[in-house]
Amino acid sequence: SIPRKMATRYLTDEHIAGFDRYKYCSVDTSPLSNYVMHPFWNAVVERLPKWLAPNLMTFIGFLLLIFNFALLTWYDPQFRASSSEHPLIPNWVWLVCGIAHFLSHTLDGCDGKQARRTGSSSPLGELFDHGLDSWATMFFPTAIYSMFGRSTEYGITVTQMYMVVWVVMIGFIMSHWEKYNTGTLFLPWGYDMSQVCMSVMYLAAFLCGQELWRTHLPMGLRFYMVFLFSFYGGFLFISLPHTVGNLYRAKSEGTGRNLTLYEGMRPLLSPVLLFVLCIAWLNLSSMDIMEQQPRLFYFMSGTVFANIACRLIIAQMSNTRCEGVNALLWPLVVIVAAMYVVPLGQWELVLLIGYTVVVTLLHIHFGVCVVMQMADHFNINIFTLKKQKA
């Protein structure tokens, strides 16, 4: 952890006062969540030891997603292992990834229940959970990509996959933008559905091998087409209509925060700017950076997005004004502007690596300092539970 003297107080007194007043308010109408996942998680949490801290569960679940990302990066750094010219990923890898993904989803579903069971619920727990979830939006779809890979009859391009990652990230930010405006977190239907489907896909890849995804489906369909439609369709026909409907009801019934149009849209400024800058980078790239370093570009985008999302989560939980333009975007503006003026050649890769390292370190520093600041304020341990007084 960061020594106290090196820690930065990212949270203002206004933030802290808002967290002191915070009350969790959420609505989950998903049939899968209510009739399958929650009963399962309730049964699991009753078998967990009461000394197990909810934040530790959250963190372990996140580390399992990073493990999957790292393992598949080792065996398939360029997303080419599904093509006939490259060796396939060993089947045992899919089993390990499937188990890790299932455990990660289970821990994510049980951490809040464990907090209520042990009487340790706090705003820190929710912020820690959702903050790590914001980074996970890049890790879990990227891991699945190795099943299909790129540049084959049965795969999708790295740019198409980048759009899938963005669909996941947009779906996440919309939930918290919705809460920023309404005061209620409407849990998206697509999240649990996607997590269950991914666990099934890992298991199927283990049992049948990657060749399964080359199977011809009826009407000339391919599995990658179903994959793309599940993400695009889930967003367009489930997540987006729910968000628009919830915002409309809150506005018409006067149950939301009644912000002006500009203030209500303000949280979307940084995500939109990030998307525009990243697309501009790809279009201006003289070395076709996405084809050369897709994983690195995904990781960079996901990390900056996570920082933007975390700051929005802090604003909506503390009922404070969301920031305008995220500070991590300014170096990206400079890089894109430089590319517009002159071709950078191999320096483009150097800039991508350098920018990725810097934003990753800054985001980790931000997260650790915020967690430490809140833990100090609420007088709670982060990864352990204080013994109850007799």
Side-chain angles (χ1 to χ4, degrees):
S1 64
I2 297 174
R4 289 293 192 274
K5 62 182 180 180
M6 295 178 61
T8 301
R9 289 181 56 86
Y10 287 103
L11 301 179
T12 65
D13 291 339
E14 186 183 7
H15 287 134
I16 295 297
F19 279 118
D20 284 335
R21 297 188 300 268
Y22 178 72
K23 299 293 183 184
Y24 180 63
C25 181
S26 69
V27 175
D28 189 354
T29 59
S30 166
L32 176 62
S33 299
N34 287 317
Y35 297 112
V36 180
M37 302 314 303
H38 282 297
F40 171 68
W41 293 330
N42 288 334
V44 170
V45 80
E46 288 300 322
R47 289 162 174 78
L48 296 177
K50 286 199 171 184
W51 53 259
L52 182 59
N55 288 338
L56 182 60
M57 296 167 61
T58 303
F59 191 57
I60 292 173
F62 178 70
L63 291 179
L64 288 171
L65 291 181
I66 294 181
F67 170 78
N68 278 1
F69 182 83
L71 181 62
L72 289 168
T73 299
W74 176 262
Y75 280 99
D76 187 22
Q78 292 289 330
F79 302 109
R80 296 188 185 276
S82 60
S83 65
S84 56
E85 296 83 15
H86 293 79
L88 293 175
I89 296 172
N91 276 16
W92 66 264
V93 171
W94 300 119
L95 177 61
V96 170
C97 287
I99 293 172
H101 188 90
F102 173 77
L103 290 175
S104 176
H105 184 214
T106 301
L107 289 169
D108 188 47
C110 290
D111 52 8
K113 297 179 184 295
Q114 177 75 347
R116 290 184 287 274
R117 177 173 175 247
T118 57
S120 58
S121 297
S122 70
L124 171 58
E126 182 182 344
L127 177 61
F128 190 66
D129 186 4
H130 293 164
L132 291 180
D133 284 345
S134 68
W135 212 355
T137 56
M138 180 275 301
F139 287 113
F140 70 76
T142 305
I144 286 288
Y145 186 28
S146 289
M147 290 189 186
F148 305 98
R150 58 196 269 199
S151 303
T152 71
E153 180 186 356
Y154 306 98
I156 59 178
T157 67
V158 288
T159 303
Q160 285 177 309
M161 187 62 212
Y162 187 55
M163 292 300 103
V164 169
V165 173
W166 263 105
V167 164
V168 176
M169 294 193 300
I170 291 171
F172 180 89
I173 204 79
M174 282 180 60
S175 294
H176 293 279
W177 171 59
E178 188 178 347
K179 187 182 179 186
Y180 182 81
N181 282 275
T182 66
T184 301
L185 179 63
F186 295 90
L187 299 172
W189 282 26
Y191 176 70
D192 284 328
M193 285 190 284
S194 65
Q195 299 302 300
V196 171
C197 286
M198 279 187 273
S199 292
V200 171
M201 289 174 68
Y202 281 127
L203 181 60
F206 166 67
L207 295 174
C208 306
Q210 278 180 268
E211 293 85 354
L212 170 66
W213 311 116
R214 299 176 184 175
T215 305
H216 289 238
L217 301 175
M219 298 184 292
L221 295 176
R222 302 285 190 272
F223 272 110
Y224 76 85
M225 298 177 185
V226 178
F227 174 77
L228 288 176
F229 179 78
S230 65
F231 281 95
Y232 293 145
F235 174 74
L236 291 174
F237 302 119
I238 299 178
S239 299
L240 184 59
H242 278 197
T243 295
V244 173
N246 292 330
L247 288 170
Y248 176 78
R249 279 190 294 273
K251 186 70 174 178
S252 60
E253 297 171 5
T255 57
R257 296 179 61 192
N258 294 318
L259 300 174
T260 64
L261 179 61
Y262 172 74
E263 289 299 328
M265 300 295 288
R266 185 181 171 90
L268 300 182
L269 179 59
S270 285
V272 169
L273 185 56
L274 173 62
F275 178 78
V276 170
L277 289 170
C278 288
I279 296 302
W281 185 332
L282 297 182
N283 287 329
L284 293 170
S285 177
S286 60
M287 62 175 293
D288 203 355
I289 195 71
M290 180 63 86
E291 288 293 325
Q292 299 298 323
Q293 295 292 337
R295 279 190 186 272
L296 189 59
F297 206 89
Y298 295 167
F299 184 84
M300 177 274 291
S301 303
T303 303
V304 179
F305 170 83
N307 193 265
I308 293 170
C310 285
R311 292 175 186 272
L312 171 57
I313 294 167
I314 290 171
Q316 53 96 339
M317 288 183 66
S318 61
N319 198 27
T320 54
R321 193 184 191 210
C322 181
E323 68 171 5
V325 177
N326 187 287
L328 297 185
L329 292 175
W330 293 117
L332 188 56
V333 171
V334 173
I335 293 172
V336 172
M339 294 175 62
Y340 183 78
V341 174
V342 60
L344 298 178
Q346 289 300 315
W347 281 104
E348 184 182 341
L349 178 58
V350 174
L351 287 173
L352 176 59
I353 294 172
Y355 179 63
T356 302
V357 170
V358 169
V359 296
T360 301
L361 293 176
L362 288 175
H363 181 56
I364 292 173
H365 183 267
F366 171 78
V368 171
C369 289
V370 167
V371 169
M372 288 171 56
Q373 190 177 349
M374 289 191 67
D376 287 344
H377 175 74
F378 289 105
N379 191 29
I380 57 179
N381 297 330
I382 300 171
F383 293 124
T384 60
L385 295 177
K386 291 185 176 181
K387 292 183 179 180
Q388 300 290 332
K389 295 182 180 179

